[in-house]
C-alpha cells in the first residue's frame, strides 16, 4: 500500500483487516504528512506541510503502532539539486536538504543486512505500542535528528542557514518497523461494516512491514521512463531502496534463502607477500620444470613402446 492520499473507509479497512488475519502479507508505505518537494519549487520556495488524515490510526493501534504526523529533520541527509541562472546559463547545484534523511542499516536482521543507506523524503516517525506482537525496528533516523510537528511552513531558505546542532537531541526515531505474530482482527468486539465470507477474529502467525515514508518506493523519471529504484539522477548516487524492498518481500513470503544469497559476503584470500618473495624461484622451477620433464618422460615411454612393437 504505497503512499495513499485519501482516507480509508471502514469497509476498506475491514477488507484489509480480514486479508491480514487470513494470512495475507502487507507492506504499508505511509506519508502521514502532506508535503511534496515539487510544491516548494512551484510556490516560490515555500509550502505548508499539513497532517494527512488517512483514518488509519485506530486500525494501526490494534496492530501495535502509530505513525506520527511529524517530519524528520536529520543532519545525515541526502542532497537535492537546485537550478540557478536562466536558459543556457542554468547550473544545477546539489544542496543539503535536511528533510531527506539518509537512513543507515543497523544490520540487525536479514532484511537490512549489508545494505546501502536508504533515501527517505519527508519521513515521519513510528511509535510502538505494547501488545503481544513481536516488533523489530529495522531502520531509525540518525542520533543527530529531531522530529518537527505539523502544520509547519517548509522553505528552501533553510539551505542557507547553518543548522544549530545543539537542538538535534531527540534522534534515533524508528522509521521502519516489522511486526510479527498471530494477528487478531482490529474489528474484534466491534460492529463490522459489511459481511464477508470466511471471516476470522484470530489468524495464524503472520508478518507486516510498516515504512513511515511513501516515497521509499518511488522511482525517478528520465525521458518519460522510470530509472532504477534507488538511483538519484541529479547526484548520480545509488541508495539501497531497491534491495531493501526486495528483501522485505522475500522475508514476508518466507523466502529467506534468496536474502542470504544476496547478502553473502565474498572474501578473497590474499597471498602472503613474504612467502612470495622467499619461494618465488622454487615455484617458478616447479611450474616450468615439471611439465617439461613430464613431456620428456612420456615421450621416452612412447618411443620405447613403438620400437618394441614395430622392431623386427
Amino acid at each position: 500500500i504505497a503512499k495513499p492520499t485519501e482516507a480509508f473507509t471502514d469497509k476498506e479497512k475491514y477488507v484489509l483487516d480480514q486479508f491480514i488475519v487470513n494470512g495475507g502479507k502487507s507492506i504499508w508505505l505511509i506519508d502521514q504528512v502532506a508535503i511534496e518537494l515539487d510544491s516548494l519549487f512551484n510556490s516560490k520556495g515555500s509550502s505548508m506541510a499539513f497532517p494527512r488524515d488517512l483514518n488509519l490510526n485506530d486500525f494501526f493501534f490494534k496492530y501495535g503502532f502509530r505513525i506520527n504526523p511529524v517530519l524528520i529533520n536529520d543532519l545525515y541527509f541526502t542532497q537535492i539539486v537546485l537550478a540557478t541562472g536562466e536558459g543556457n546559463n542554468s547550473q544545477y547545484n546539489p544542496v543539503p536538504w535536511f528533510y531527506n534523511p539518509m537512513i543507515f542499516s543497523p544490520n540487525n536482521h536479514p532484511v537490512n543486512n549489508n545494505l546501502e543507506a536508504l533515501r527517505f523524503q519527508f519521513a515521519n516517525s513510528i511509535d510502538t505500542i505494547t501488545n503481544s506482537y513481536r516488533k523489530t525496528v529495522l531502520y531509525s533516523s540518525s542520533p543527530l535528528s529531531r522530529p518537527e510537528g505539523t502544520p509547519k511552513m517548509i522553505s528552501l531558505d533553510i539551505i542557507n542557514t547553518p543548522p544549530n546542532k545543539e537542538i538535534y537531541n531527540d534522534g534515533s526515531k524508528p522509521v521502519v518497523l516489522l511486526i510479527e505474530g498471530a494477528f487478531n482482527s482490529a474489528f474484534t468486539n466491534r460492529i463490522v461494516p459489511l459481511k464477508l465470507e470466511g471471516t476470522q477474529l484470530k489468524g495464524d502467525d503472520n508478518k507486516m512491514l510498516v515504512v513511515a515514508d511513501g516515497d521509499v518506493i518511488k522511482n525517478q523519471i528520465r525521458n518519460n521512463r522510470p530509472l532504477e529504484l534507488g538511483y538519484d539522477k541529479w547526484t548520480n548516487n545509488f541508495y539501497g531502496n531497491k534491495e531493501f524492498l526486495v528483501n522485505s518481500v522475500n522475508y514476508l513470503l518466507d523466502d529467506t534463502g534468496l536474502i542470504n544469497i544476496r547478502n553473502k559476503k565474498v572474501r578473497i584470500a590474499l597471498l602472503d607477500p613474504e612467502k612470495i618473495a622467499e619461494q618465488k624461484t622454487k615455484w617458478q622451477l616447479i611450474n616450468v620444470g615439471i611439465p617439461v620433464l613430464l613431456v620428456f618422460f612420456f615421450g621416452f615411454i612412447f618411443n620405447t613402446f613403438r620400437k618394441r612393437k614395430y622392431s623386427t
Side-chain angles (χ1 to χ4, degrees):
I1 302 176
K3 197 173 180 176
T5 56
E6 298 180 1
F8 286 76
T9 66
D10 286 343
K11 291 182 179 180
E12 291 169 336
K13 290 193 291 184
Y14 186 55
V15 171
L16 290 168
D17 172 78
Q18 286 303 300
F19 170 79
I20 294 170
V21 174
N22 278 274
K25 308 300 189 293
S26 55
I27 299 178
W28 297 83
L29 301 114
I30 302 298
D31 269 359
Q32 202 67 37
V33 176
I35 180 67
E36 301 291 341
L37 195 59
D38 290 345
S39 64
L40 298 178
F41 296 145
N42 298 330
S43 57
K44 298 182 180 181
S46 62
S47 182
M48 183 67 74
F50 290 101
R52 176 176 279 148
D53 182 15
L54 297 174
N55 193 30
L56 290 173
N57 290 340
D58 60 333
F59 183 80
F60 289 159
F61 183 85
K62 292 291 185 178
Y63 288 100
F65 68 94
R66 174 176 57 242
I67 302 178
N68 300 307
V70 299
L71 293 176
I72 298 294
N73 186 321
D74 201 325
L75 293 186
Y76 285 86
F77 52 81
T78 63
Q79 296 175 319
I80 61 173
V81 172
L82 297 181
T84 58
E86 297 181 358
N88 295 330
N89 295 324
S90 296
Q91 295 182 347
Y92 296 89
N93 301 311
V95 295
W97 187 244
F98 305 114
Y99 295 107
N100 281 11
M102 182 185 296
I103 307 296
F104 293 90
S105 170
N107 292 313
N108 63 341
H109 195 273
V111 170
N112 60 25
N113 191 33
N114 296 330
L115 293 189
E116 297 289 341
L118 306 186
R119 187 190 196 198
F120 280 61
Q121 302 177 57
F122 294 114
N124 316 134
S125 67
I126 303 175
D127 287 341
T128 58
I129 302 166
T130 302
N131 60 12
S132 60
Y133 305 146
R134 302 184 302 276
K135 303 180 184 69
T136 305
V137 176
L138 298 181
Y139 286 91
S140 299
S141 63
S142 80
L144 293 175
S145 63
R146 65 190 184 98
E148 296 183 351
T150 56
K152 178 181 178 63
M153 181 65 72
I154 305 297
S155 174
L156 292 175
D157 289 338
I158 64 171
I159 65 177
N160 300 318
T161 304
N164 180 6
K165 295 183 179 180
E166 294 182 359
I167 64 176
Y168 287 83
N169 54 10
D170 190 18
S172 301
K173 297 298 183 182
V175 293
V176 180
L177 181 68
L178 175 67
I179 307 171
E180 301 172 279
F183 293 150
N184 297 322
S185 172
F187 285 80
T188 302
N189 299 324
R190 291 175 56 184
I191 298 175
V192 298
L194 76 163
K195 292 183 179 181
L196 297 173
E197 295 182 0
T199 58
Q200 297 185 43
L201 294 180
K202 185 173 182 178
D204 298 327
D205 279 348
N206 202 350
K207 305 169 186 176
M208 174 191 299
L209 185 71
V210 182
V211 182
D213 178 22
D215 293 312
V216 166
I217 201 172
K218 182 180 178 181
N219 303 71
Q220 292 187 358
I221 303 295
R222 176 184 287 165
N223 298 328
N224 296 322
R225 300 186 63 181
L227 299 174
E228 182 178 2
L229 181 60
Y231 173 66
D232 182 11
K233 65 181 179 180
W234 300 110
T235 60
N236 203 32
N237 290 327
F238 282 90
Y239 301 98
N241 297 41
K242 176 183 176 181
E243 290 75 14
F244 160 67
L245 288 166
V246 171
N247 280 359
S248 299
V249 171
N250 287 331
Y251 183 79
L252 293 178
L253 299 178
D254 297 318
D255 200 353
T256 55
L258 288 175
I259 300 176
N260 294 331
I261 291 173
R262 277 197 305 273
N263 293 338
K264 184 177 180 181
K265 285 186 176 180
V266 178
R267 294 184 178 179
I268 301 175
L270 300 178
L271 297 177
D272 188 336
E274 293 184 1
K275 287 186 177 181
I276 293 175
E278 293 174 359
Q279 304 178 14
K280 175 181 177 182
T281 303
K282 181 182 75 172
W283 288 108
Q284 284 178 337
L285 292 174
I286 291 174
N287 289 326
V288 175
I290 289 180
V292 173
L293 292 176
L294 288 175
V295 169
F296 281 115
F297 174 75
F298 285 109
F300 174 77
I301 297 295
F302 180 71
N303 288 331
T304 302
F305 175 78
R306 288 189 63 188
K307 288 179 181 179
R308 290 182 179 180
K309 182 176 180 180
Y310 297 107
S311 63
T312 56

